[in-house]
Each structure stands twice: as structure tokens, then as C-alpha cells.
Amino acid sequence: MKLTGCPLIVLISVLLAAAAAGATRPHYGGTLHMQVGTRVDSLDAADNNQPDVLSGRNIPALIFGTLVALNDQGQPQPALAISWRSDSGNQRWEFVLRPGVTFSDGTQMTPEAVTASLRRANPSWKILPQETEVVIQLGAPSPDLPAELALPRNMILKLDGGKALGTGPFVVSQWDPGKKLVLVARDDYWGGRPFLDSVEIQMAKNFRDETLSYDLGQSQVIQIPPEQARHQREAGELRVSQPIELVALLFADEVRSPEEAKQRQALALSIDRSLLNRVVLQSSGEAAGGLLPDWLSGYGFLFPEDANLTRAQQLRAELPKATAWNLSFDANDALARVLAERIALNASDAGLRLQLNNQSTPDVRLVRIPLASLDPYLALTQIANALELPPPRFLGTTIDDLYHAENAMLQSQRVIPLLHLRTAWAVSKGVRDWENARDGSWRLPDVWLLPGKP
Amino acid sequence: MRFRRKILAVFALTVFVSVTAVASLISYFARRNFEQVSERRTAALVFRFDHEFAQKEASVLRRVESIAQSETVLRMAVALNHAPPDYAAYFNEAKNIAEAKQLDFLEFLDDQYTILSSAQWPAKFGYKAPLPGIDTQGVFFQREDLPDGAVLGFCAMQKVTSGDKPLYVIGGQRIDRNFVADLEMPSGMRALLYENLGPGADPPHVIDPFGSVPEIASLVPLIKQIQNDPRQNSGLVHWSSNAEDDERVYAIPMFGLDRQLLGALLLTDSLRPYVGLRRQIRSAALLIGGAGIFLAVVLSGWAASRVTRPVEQLAMAAHAVAAGNWDTQVTVGTRDELADLAESFNQMTHKLLDSRERLVQAERVAAWRELARRLAHELKNPLFPLQLTIENLIRSHQQSLEQFDEMFRESSSTLLAEIANLKTIVARFSEFSRMPQPQFQQVQLNEIVQDVARLFHSQLTAPGRPPIQSKLELDPLLEPIVADPDLLHRALSNLILNAIEAMPTGGTLTLTTRQDGDRAGLEVSDTGTGLTPEERARLFTPYFTTKQDGTGLGLAIVQLVISDHGGRISVQSKPGKGTTFSIELPRNADKLKDNQVRATSGLS
């Protein structure tokens, strides 16, 4: 080998190293094209009229911000508030606002604006703006108030002639409710300008269209239904969250007789949750015996989740007559339909009759409830709220208190937990630093796109 | 009915019947042609349906075959022979492949007929599939049980063998409203689908391209017919009271593998065009019929006037002839059969006049002859004694004068007697020729009858004579009439004398009166010798008699009296059974007025 070849090799090596370094270093620019299967009709997270779906939380989070954010461990972290303190009784809280934060119209985020926004979402709270802070005076001790302020409904927004302005990393460029949203990055975002120039989100797309668009490179991120997760996992581009969505059967009424309690127990025992998870969900979820996922509560395994058809049949045999129940589900949710059909078949094996009927007053409803918070206490409270059950009674702040509160909810037999679903996304190779939080929320300000790739 | 009206009615009826017949014939042929066209259209449609269906079947079969031959299914079949089925691995396979192959149904079954993956009911993995005749090749109708209920489809089955355990692939398409909507129907026809999926579904479930058909009560009889006798059938369906909504429905049954009736395709053909055509024909017939009848009225009126006027003239002339105006003549201005008829009529009346004159002359001659005969006969009897007496007188005068005086006295008395007899004969003839005019007054016929009967009572019961029983049957309600009582008395006396002479060996004489409408009736019956038909025919002819010493004027006088009263006399008689004279007398109230008028004006 001649010595003259050495500089060439060095040069090539340097270029390759530079290229490699360039590929891993974030780039500004580009539009992220996303498609989600769910439909979002309102960007207001405090709007109670739209169903509680994950996208309905993630999308507003791109435009608005909260005073407090939770980390993956559920611990409150500063966001629009840089610090907070409470009195000894956890009834009076003071939140110091982050200075220099502006709404998307360039106006300052003032304590008055924050106060107005929080009052809108929490009419019962007594909120006082101070010079640089906001004071919240509650009627009862609320040690979890910082975590509660991290809930989507407490996002800070400013209403300007019917238009909601936020402090988030993106601002709305185009909004076609339920169909399409185009966001552009804010250069003056207090957390620093996002790498992406814009984000285009297509909504209410069926999986076939999503995959076609994804395969053609027209979309870089698509939502994968749990039942289709296996195929995408085999393709190697699946990003999956923790099991964060509860699937459960919710009875319309309290138990009215011992026979009804026995029939509900028989129904709970007849459902093969493991098979549902393994086959229908393609193992993309977890069989659930409790309301909170095991990864969040740590005691989920204590609640029985295995089917016991023999016992269910025995219980049914002990009943002089089994009531035929109407089971309703979201007719637009393909997964809910399959789950309901399978549950009806399992119930039939136990001698119970479930009629699939989406009438207005069903006996039982199949519900899907996303995890509201990484704080387990707050999450359980939100689940009870979503199920319209009495709020859980926490005797303390220990894990035992949490368990007893959840167990009491389950003992009421109003709800039969079935599964905890993960949320899954197919993310193309050109999308970098896509990270799912444990609760499934997006972190799009950190995402960047490889140049030259759609 | 008048002749003119008859002609009009015949014309109108002819037009009506003709138009009705033509309209009925047109309607009949229209309906027959329509039915033939309908049958041809339906046959063509059934053929096309069979063709389309065969294409669909072939398409489904091809797709199921291609699925069965796909790598995915072959891998599945291989895996089944080496490990228990992994339902999770196959969960979406059936649905994804069915979507790709555009099949409504797709299921993979293992050798135990356990569902490995189902497109139409994904949640049913691990459950047994109820399939009769699983080894059937080709395409078959199938009832598919889905969570929302049973549906109808046609399926194909393929068996994939890759070891000991076969894998079954069953795919198909749903037969629903979309399937019905895909059938291209000609104008006026539509397709319905009857689904026989629920046990004892009542009412039956019928769908069209828009969904369930709500009102199918009219279809139920045909559907029941198919259920009881499942073969191609047809029937007329009345959807409403409007005939335009009627449809002819052809049913093509669909059977499952076990020959169970799963449904039927119902092809309907609207009768609206036919009903419209029929209504047009009826309207046209009514219009033409109405116009025809109007024209018939006008034409028949014109024709009737041309035909019936001469006929009416003839009828009037005939009436005149019947009334005695035998010189009536008819004038017809045409040169047709009616003119010939009028000419013949005129000739007939002319001949009648001639005949009557000849008859009158003949009768007059006959009467004179009879009169001469009777006169000769009547006069001969007294003349012969006169001649003998005079000859005896002459002979006595020549032989002995002593005896002549005695002879003269005897002959004188004989001559006087015979001359008196001659005078009597002459007086009787004179009396008949001078019958008086009736003097009308109101009389009770019953009283006259009783008077006459009383007068003849002694004669009837005279000793030495065969007894004649007299019976009076008088109507107490007999109304009075206007008549001449003397003439009636005389006429009735003549009749009773006649009856007495007809009963030489005795019998019964019955006098009967009765009210006959506005006429008074009188009968004189005897049980005597009766009359022959010839005698009866000449009975009232003057001078006709059947008796040795009768003048033949008695009954002639009776007829003359009755005729002068405006009445009528008739006779019923059979030889040996007796004779009955029947007299009818009018009330003659006007005669009384005439008498009064004449009395007041001094004319009587």
C-alpha cells in the first residue's frame, strides 16, 4: 500500500464521521405528518362534551401548557409555575409563575390570565392573582393539588374573541374540527423552539388508510390499534406505551339483590381476559383485575383476573333465573365491538345472556378510560369520576390506603375491570427522538426529522 | 213499446254491445300480450339473475380457491399439523384477507371445525362452526349467524391439506340489500329478498335495496306458498286499493345445503303500464261508445222516421179500416218495400170494399129470397084452405042449393079465419120492419128480469107439460143502467120463449145477472137441445128459424134491441148440452143526457 493512500483514508473517515455525527444531531425544520384513528372535535381539554380519548389530551398539550408537569414517576415538576408552596394543612397553595412566558399572540402570561383560566376549569376554587404568583385557597386539604394542576383540564389558556390562545410550543395554523389540524412551531416558546417547523395531524382515519399513507411515506407517525399491533411489531417500528387505558364493564345501577351480585360475579368469572389480551389485543395490553395498572399501583396482581368458567357456571346454576342484560359499546370503536362480542360469547358459555344493543339505557356498558394522571391517587379518583362512581375514600397516603380504596370500588360490583391497553404508534425511521411518556403523552418539541426524508 | 223506440233501442244496444265487445277484446288481448311480455321479461331476468349469480358464484369460488392456495393459508395449514392453533397469530388474518379479496365472509377452520379466524365474527375464534355438509364442493347458500343476527349468504369451501389435519377455508358474500341493489332491473321491475332465517318469523322479513320492506302483508300469501311448497312460483300482489300498484311477483327459492329454505328472490313486475293501457282502452271505449250511442240515437231517429212514418200511416189506415172506414187509402212517397206494402194495403181495402158490396148484395138477395120463401111458406098455408073452401063452395053451388047455404055458412067462417090468419102474418112482418126507437130511462135490470120471470112462471109450470125449473141468480150489487124497459122486456121474453121451446122434455132455465165492470151482464141458459155450429152462425139472421112454425124474427129482434142499446149478445151452445145467451149492456148514461136534451129542445 502506498503512503499516498493514507490521507485519502483519513479524509474519507473524517467525512463518514461527520456524516454520522450529522445524522444523530437534531435538525430544525420539517413537517411531521401524523394520523390518528380517534376524532378530536375540540382543542379545549376542559371541554367535557367530547369523549375522553388520549389524542384529546395530547393535541391540546401541544398548544397549551400547565402550571405543573408530572415526570414518569408521577412527581410534580415545574412548568408554567417555577415553584409552589402550601400551608401546613394543604389548603392554601401559592404558585410562582414562570417569568417571560407569552401566549401565542405575544402577550404576557400574567397571574390574572392564569387565574381566569383556572377559574374557568374549576369554578368552585377560590383563586387569587398576586404580583408574580397565583394563590389557590381550597375548602379541604388537597395534598395532590400540584398533580391535579398537571391534568389536561387545567391547561392555561387565554380566550380572545372565542379563540383560545396557549403558551405551548405550537400554535394553530389550520383547524378543521374532527378532521385535520396544522400546527406551526413557536419561536418564542418558553422551553425553546421545537425542532419541527410544523405538525400536521389527520384525524378519524381508519387503519387501512393510515397504513397505506404510512407505507407510501405520506405520514411518518400513525396510531396503531391494539389488535393490529402484532403486525406492526413484526415490522419493527412500533412505539408502545405502558398499559394506560382501562377497559371495563360498567353496570348502570348498584347491585340490588344477592342474585344480581351472584350473576355479576359469574359474568366476571366467565370472561377470559388473558385470551382477550393475547388474541384480540395481540398481547398489546394486560389482563386487568384492578382499575389501576399494575405498573402504576404495584399491587394490581392482587386482584384476580383469571377466568373460571366452571365456577361461573356453578354460580349461574345457583340462580333460579338469569337476567338478560343489554351490553352497549361505542359503535365506532372496532376494538370495543370485538371485545363486546367475545364477552357475550364467554358469558353465553356460563349460561348468561348478554345482548349487544347500543340503546340509550343499557344495563352494562363497555367503557375505555385513559389514565388521567401518573399520580395513582389522582388517577383512581379520575377513574371513579369517569365511571360516575362515588370518589374513592383515601384514609391516608400509603399504598395500603390506595389499595383499600380501589378494592372498595371493586367490591361494589359496579365495575368489572377487563384490560389495560397500551397505546401504540408506528414511527418511521426518519422521525427521531420520538419518546412516549409512560402515560402515552407525546413529547413533540423534542422530535426532529432526518433531512431529506418525508 | 213503439216501433220507433224499438229501432232506437236496437241501434243503441248494437253500438253498446259492439263497443263493449271490441273494448273487451282489446283488453283481453292487451292483457294476454302484457302477460306474455311480462313472462318473457321475467324469464329473461331470471336467466340474467342466474347468469349473474353464476358469475358471482364463480368469482367467490375463484377467490376462495386463491385464498386456499395462498402462502399464508399454506403456512397456517402446516402450522396446524405441528402445534396447537395460535389464535392470536390468525386473529386478523381472516378479516384482512377478506377485505383484500372483497369477501363478506371468510373463516378458517381446523380439522375439528373450530374457528381459527373469522372475518365476519372475529370474536368467535376457538368456537365450533355449525356447518352441515362441510365437505361440499362448489358454492352453496348459507345461513350465517352474526352477533347482530343471522344473515344470508352464498359461500364456497376449500379444503387445504398439508399433513394429517386439514384446514378449511370458507368464504362468501352476503346476500343483502346491496346484493339486491346490484341486480340491474328493467324499468317497472324490482327485486326483493325474502329471508327465511328466523324460526317462525312472522311477519316474514323482506328487504329491498333500501332496507326492510315495512308493509308486506300483501306478500305473505305468496311467501306462505313458498314455505309450504318451495319451488319457483308466481302470484299477483295487490299492494293497495289502486290497481296501478299491483305487481306480479315471481319467487325463486334459495335452499341451504340441507335443502332448508333459506330465502327467496322475489322479482316483481309492475302492472302499472297494463292498468294504464286498460284504463285508456276503457276511456276510449266509453268515449267511442258514448259518441256511438249519440250517433245511434240521431241516426236511428232519422232512420226510424223514414221507416216508421209509412208504417205508422199503415197502422193508422188499418185502425181506420178496423173502425169501418174501408175506403181508407195510404200514400207513401218512397219506392221501397214499404211503398209496396202501402200499395198492397190500398189494394186490400179496395178488394175489401168490393167484397163487402158483393156480400151486402148477396145477403140482401139471400134475405129477399128467405123473405120470399118465408112469405110463400106462410102464405101457402092459409091459401090452400082458402082454395079448398072456395072450390067446395063452387062444387056445392053446382050440386045442391039446399046444402049450399049450409056450406056457405061453414065456408064463410073458414075463409074469414084464414084471412085473419093472413092478416096476422102480414102484421108480424110489418111489426119487424117497424121496430120502434128505444125510449131510454134509468132501469134496474134485476127488476125487468124478475118481471119477465114472473110472467112466464105459469107457463113454465102449466099442467100437462114437462116441467121446466126456473132459477134466478141475480147480482144484488148490480148497478142501474139507462135502457128502454119495454124493449128489454120483449127481448128477454123472446129469449125465454126460445129456451122453453128448446126444452120440449123439460129442463132448467137459469137467468143470471152480474156487474161486469161498468157493464151489466145478463145470461139466459137452458138445458135444452142446443145448437149446431151452423145454426149458431146464422142464429141472428132475420127470418132464419129451426122451427116448423117460427118466423125467424125473434132472435133478430133480440139482437136489434141489444144493438140499439149499444150492447153485445153472444151465444154458447153445444148440441144436447143446452144454450146460453150472454148479453152485455153498457151503463148508457150519455143516452139519458141525450134524451133530456132532446126533451128540453122539443125534439123527442
Side-chain angles (χ1 to χ4, degrees):
Chain A
M1 183 182 288
K2 295 181 180 179
L3 291 176
T4 53
C6 291
L8 185 62
I9 294 172
V10 170
L11 180 61
I12 293 171
S13 301
V14 169
L15 287 174
L16 286 174
T24 55
R25 193 173 61 239
H27 288 271
Y28 282 93
T31 298
L32 178 66
H33 296 272
M34 299 177 66
Q35 292 201 351
V36 296
T38 50
R39 177 187 174 96
V40 177
D41 290 312
S42 171
L43 297 177
D44 185 358
D47 184 355
N48 293 322
N49 293 325
Q50 68 172 343
D52 187 11
V53 294
L54 202 59
S55 300
R57 300 177 184 179
N58 279 332
I59 289 176
L62 299 175
I63 306 165
F64 311 103
T66 53
L67 292 181
V68 179
L70 297 184
N71 63 13
D72 280 351
Q73 285 71 45
Q75 301 299 319
Q77 301 295 316
L80 295 179
I82 54 175
S83 65
W84 51 86
R85 58 181 175 274
S86 69
D87 63 2
S88 57
N90 290 325
Q91 285 186 281
R92 176 186 168 86
W93 289 83
E94 296 174 3
F95 292 87
V96 179
L97 300 184
R98 185 179 295 275
V101 177
T102 59
F103 288 105
S104 56
D105 63 350
T107 57
Q108 287 290 324
M109 182 190 73
T110 61
E112 288 75 16
V114 172
T115 299
S117 179
L118 290 177
R119 280 177 178 167
R120 178 172 166 270
N122 306 279
S124 63
W125 289 2
K126 184 179 179 183
I127 309 169
L128 298 171
Q130 303 291 331
E131 188 176 350
T132 58
E133 59 191 31
V134 171
V135 177
I136 302 175
Q137 181 71 50
L138 300 173
S142 180
D144 289 330
L145 184 63
E148 191 169 355
L149 288 176
L151 291 175
R153 70 178 168 87
N154 287 322
M155 287 177 177
I156 304 302
L157 57 86
K158 181 180 147 186
L159 292 174
D160 182 16
K163 189 176 174 184
L165 304 175
T167 59
F170 295 92
V171 62
V172 176
S173 170
Q174 182 185 345
W175 171 228
D176 188 359
K179 294 179 181 174
K180 184 180 178 182
L181 174 67
V182 179
L183 302 170
V184 294
R186 283 183 61 189
D187 294 333
D188 57 348
Y189 176 53
W190 62 268
R193 186 194 188 279
F195 292 111
L196 298 169
D197 283 344
S198 61
V199 179
E200 182 182 303
I201 304 172
Q202 303 266 2
M203 287 169 277
K205 293 291 182 182
N206 64 45
F207 181 61
R208 176 187 289 274
D209 292 341
E210 283 185 12
T211 51
L212 185 64
S213 172
Y214 184 79
D215 291 341
L216 293 174
Q218 294 170 344
S219 298
Q220 294 121 321
V221 179
I222 60 171
Q223 190 175 14
I224 305 296
E227 68 273 21
Q228 300 288 349
R230 186 190 185 105
H231 172 73
Q232 212 64 32
R233 190 184 300 133
E234 288 170 356
E237 297 175 356
L238 196 68
R239 308 294 172 89
V240 181
S241 73
Q242 289 288 347
I244 54 170
E245 189 174 15
L246 171 67
V247 178
L249 289 177
L250 177 65
F251 287 92
D253 299 309
E254 299 286 346
V255 173
R256 286 165 293 196
S257 66
E259 288 77 17
E260 189 176 354
K262 198 173 282 186
Q263 188 171 333
R264 291 189 185 189
Q265 188 184 355
L267 175 62
L269 287 170
S270 71
I271 301 169
D272 191 340
R273 298 169 176 82
S274 298
L275 202 59
L276 280 177
N277 177 50
R278 189 159 53 83
V279 178
V280 178
L281 299 183
Q282 301 286 285
S283 300
S284 65
E286 282 181 354
L291 298 171
L292 293 175
D294 186 60
W295 63 268
L296 185 62
S297 68
Y299 57 74
F301 62 90
L302 294 177
F303 297 113
E305 61 186 38
D306 293 333
N308 189 339
L309 186 59
T310 306
R311 178 61 186 147
Q313 289 170 336
Q314 285 175 351
L315 289 169
R316 166 63 187 90
E318 292 170 9
L319 295 171
K321 181 185 175 185
T323 307
W325 285 324
N326 287 316
L327 170 60
S328 76
F329 54 91
D330 181 359
N332 297 319
D333 186 347
L335 176 61
R337 171 177 288 276
V338 177
L339 290 174
E341 289 173 4
R342 187 69 188 184
I343 290 166
L345 286 169
N346 285 163
S348 176
D349 292 340
L352 303 173
R353 191 171 172 205
L354 281 181
Q355 291 176 325
L356 303 184
N357 194 342
N358 285 321
Q359 53 182 225
S360 56
T361 56
D363 301 306
V364 194
R365 279 192 298 140
L366 182 73
V367 293
R368 292 176 64 170
I369 302 170
L371 189 66
S373 173
L374 290 172
D375 180 300
Y377 298 91
L378 191 58
L380 189 62
T381 302
Q382 292 298 312
I383 288 173
N385 188 35
L387 294 175
E388 298 177 349
L389 297 176
R393 294 180 62 191
F394 300 113
L395 299 177
T397 57
T398 66
I399 192 75
D400 282 348
D401 297 327
L402 183 66
Y403 169 77
H404 286 302
E406 182 176 350
N407 192 42
M409 290 172 66
L410 293 175
Q411 290 303 316
S412 72
Q413 290 191 296
R414 282 285 306 279
V415 60
I416 301 175
L418 299 174
L419 299 160
H420 282 114
L421 306 183
R422 290 182 172 88
T423 179
W425 299 89
V427 181
S428 72
K429 290 184 172 62
V431 178
R432 293 307 174 103
D433 288 346
W434 173 281
E435 297 251 348
N436 268 354
R438 294 176 77 190
D439 62 353
S441 58
W442 304 335
R443 290 173 177 168
L444 288 191
D446 298 333
V447 172
W448 55 280
L449 301 176
L450 279 178
K453 298 220 172 182
Chain B
M1 187 184 282
R2 303 287 296 176
F3 184 61
R4 182 177 297 209
R5 287 181 187 167
K6 282 183 183 174
I7 288 180
L8 194 145
V10 168
F11 264 73
L13 191 64
T14 305
V15 171
F16 176 76
V17 169
S18 304
V19 171
T20 304
V22 170
S24 300
L25 277 174
I26 292 173
S27 290
Y28 169 74
F29 285 117
R31 189 187 69 208
R32 208 174 66 170
N33 288 336
F34 186 85
E35 286 175 351
Q36 288 172 348
V37 169
S38 173
E39 285 174 4
R40 281 200 293 271
R41 275 173 19 132
T42 307
L45 194 64
V46 170
F47 176 78
R48 200 169 74 186
F49 168 73
D50 288 341
H51 183 66
E52 276 187 32
F53 198 74
Q55 284 185 328
K56 286 178 185 288
E57 285 180 338
S59 171
V60 165
L61 188 58
R62 275 198 306 274
R63 279 179 274 175
V64 173
E65 283 174 348
S66 72
I67 292 169
Q69 293 165 3
S70 68
E71 190 181 336
T72 303
V73 173
L74 289 175
R75 273 207 310 268
M76 202 184 299
V78 170
L80 273 179
N81 281 278
H82 293 89
D86 180 5
Y87 298 120
Y90 309 139
F91 180 69
N92 289 312
E93 291 295 354
K95 187 176 178 186
N96 292 338
I97 295 173
E99 285 180 1
K101 294 290 183 181
Q102 295 184 320
L103 291 173
D104 297 322
F105 308 132
L106 183 62
E107 282 183 339
F108 299 119
L109 313 181
D110 67 6
D111 60 323
Q112 301 299 313
Y113 310 146
T114 303
I115 298 172
L116 302 173
S117 181
S118 173
Q120 62 268 27
W121 196 345
K124 213 176 180 184
F125 61 87
Y127 285 85
K128 297 283 185 187
L131 278 176
I134 186 80
D135 290 327
T136 302
Q137 298 293 325
V139 180
F140 49 89
F141 288 111
Q142 170 86 357
R143 170 200 165 109
E144 280 292 337
D145 289 313
L146 300 180
D148 299 332
V151 297
L152 184 60
F154 58 99
C155 300
M157 195 277 296
Q158 288 290 306
K159 186 176 180 181
V160 181
T161 306
S162 181
D164 296 335
K165 298 178 180 176
L167 172 73
Y168 296 99
V169 181
I170 301 171
Q173 282 193 324
R174 185 170 174 169
I175 300 177
D176 55 5
R177 66 187 186 89
N178 296 323
F179 178 86
V180 176
D182 282 346
L183 295 175
E184 289 182 14
M185 305 297 292
S187 173
M189 299 189 78
R190 61 191 181 119
L192 307 174
L193 180 67
Y194 158 55
E195 293 180 326
N196 187 33
L197 299 174
D202 194 17
H205 188 222
V206 176
I207 58 176
D208 64 7
F210 307 103
S212 291
V213 179
E215 297 292 334
I216 58 155
S218 304
L219 272 177
V220 169
L222 181 62
I223 290 174
K224 299 279 184 194
Q225 203 174 345
I226 300 168
Q227 288 172 341
N228 297 329
D229 183 15
R231 58 188 174 85
Q232 281 201 20
N233 220 324
S234 69
L236 192 62
V237 174
H238 307 284
W239 292 104
S240 71
S241 57
N242 185 357
E244 287 192 340
D245 294 336
D246 291 355
E247 287 183 317
R248 181 162 291 283
V249 181
Y250 300 85
I252 305 168
M254 294 185 280
F255 300 101
L257 283 174
D258 53 356
R259 289 297 296 170
Q260 183 196 0
L261 180 69
L262 297 178
L265 186 72
L266 306 173
L267 302 176
T268 74
D269 193 4
S270 173
L271 297 185
R272 188 178 294 271
Y274 163 65
V275 174
L277 178 63
R278 192 176 61 189
R279 285 186 176 166
Q280 284 179 348
I281 291 171
R282 281 184 183 168
S283 300
L286 282 174
L287 193 65
I288 293 170
I293 289 172
F294 174 74
L295 278 175
V297 170
V298 173
L299 289 175
S300 64
W302 174 78
S305 67
R306 281 187 60 88
V307 173
T308 58
R309 191 174 297 132
V311 174
E312 285 173 355
Q313 288 176 352
L314 281 169
M316 289 169 63
H319 281 300
V321 170
N325 300 324
W326 289 21
D327 55 348
T328 304
Q329 292 288 299
V330 178
T331 305
V332 176
T334 58
R335 295 177 178 278
D336 51 13
E337 293 84 350
L338 287 171
D340 296 341
L341 180 61
E343 182 61 29
S344 300
F345 180 86
N346 291 338
Q347 289 178 3
M348 180 192 74
T349 54
H350 186 69
K351 286 181 180 177
L352 274 175
L353 276 174
D354 288 347
S355 299
R356 188 179 66 171
E357 284 178 8
R358 281 198 298 273
L359 184 62
V360 168
Q361 286 179 358
E363 281 188 349
R364 195 174 293 153
V365 169
W368 277 114
R369 282 180 180 164
E370 185 65 22
L371 179 61
R373 187 184 70 78
R374 294 301 307 174
L375 276 173
H377 178 75
E378 291 292 331
L379 294 176
K380 189 172 64 179
N381 289 339
L383 285 177
F384 185 64
L386 284 174
Q387 183 182 357
L388 286 178
T389 303
I390 292 171
E391 285 175 355
N392 286 335
L393 275 176
I394 294 171
R395 196 177 302 117
S396 172
H397 187 263
Q398 290 173 349
Q399 292 174 357
S400 171
L401 288 176
E402 293 87 14
Q403 293 178 350
F404 176 78
D405 292 338
E406 186 180 353
M407 181 61 72
F408 180 78
R409 284 192 301 275
E410 289 177 2
S411 297
S412 298
S413 61
T414 300
L415 287 172
L416 288 172
E418 289 305 324
I419 289 169
N421 194 14
L422 280 173
K423 285 174 74 176
T424 302
I425 290 170
V426 171
R428 282 216 303 263
F429 279 92
S430 174
E431 183 186 10
F432 176 68
S433 65
R434 292 185 305 181
M435 277 293 292
Q437 285 296 314
Q439 298 301 311
F440 289 105
Q441 62 183 59
Q442 187 161 312
V443 298
Q444 284 290 348
L445 186 59
N446 282 347
E447 291 176 3
I448 295 171
V449 173
Q450 285 169 338
D451 289 345
V452 175
R454 199 176 303 116
L455 185 66
F456 279 92
H457 178 71
S458 57
Q459 187 176 345
L460 294 175
T461 57
R465 174 188 173 86
I468 294 176
Q469 186 184 356
S470 170
K471 287 173 65 179
L472 289 181
E473 295 177 357
L474 305 180
D475 185 353
L477 301 177
L478 190 66
E479 295 175 358
I481 61 173
V482 175
D484 184 332
D486 295 335
L487 289 179
L488 286 185
H489 192 282
R490 184 173 172 184
L492 184 55
S493 299
N494 285 355
L495 288 175
I496 291 174
L497 276 174
N498 243 33
I500 291 170
E501 289 171 358
M503 293 184 290
T505 58
T508 303
L509 170 67
T510 306
L511 300 177
T512 307
T513 61
R514 67 172 180 280
Q515 186 67 38
D516 191 8
D518 59 346
R519 289 174 167 253
L522 170 62
E523 282 184 2
V524 180
S525 300
D526 64 59
T527 56
T529 53
L531 299 168
T532 63
E534 294 75 22
E535 290 170 342
R536 212 168 56 235
R538 301 191 61 192
L539 199 60
F540 298 107
T541 304
Y543 310 115
F544 172 78
T545 182
T546 58
K547 294 171 283 195
Q548 289 293 325
D549 53 351
T551 60
L553 292 174
L555 289 178
I557 290 170
V558 172
Q559 188 186 37
L560 191 61
V561 169
I562 298 304
S563 177
D564 286 346
H565 280 78
R568 204 161 52 201
I569 184 169
S570 60
V571 60
Q572 298 88 38
S573 178
K574 283 186 179 177
K577 297 290 184 182
T579 303
T580 299
F581 288 91
S582 300
I583 296 170
E584 288 180 8
L585 291 170
R587 195 171 289 164
N588 283 335
D590 52 335
K591 304 283 188 188
L592 190 58
K593 285 179 188 171
D594 292 344
N595 267 2
Q596 288 170 350
V597 169
R598 276 197 293 270
T600 53
S601 61
L603 294 175
S604 56

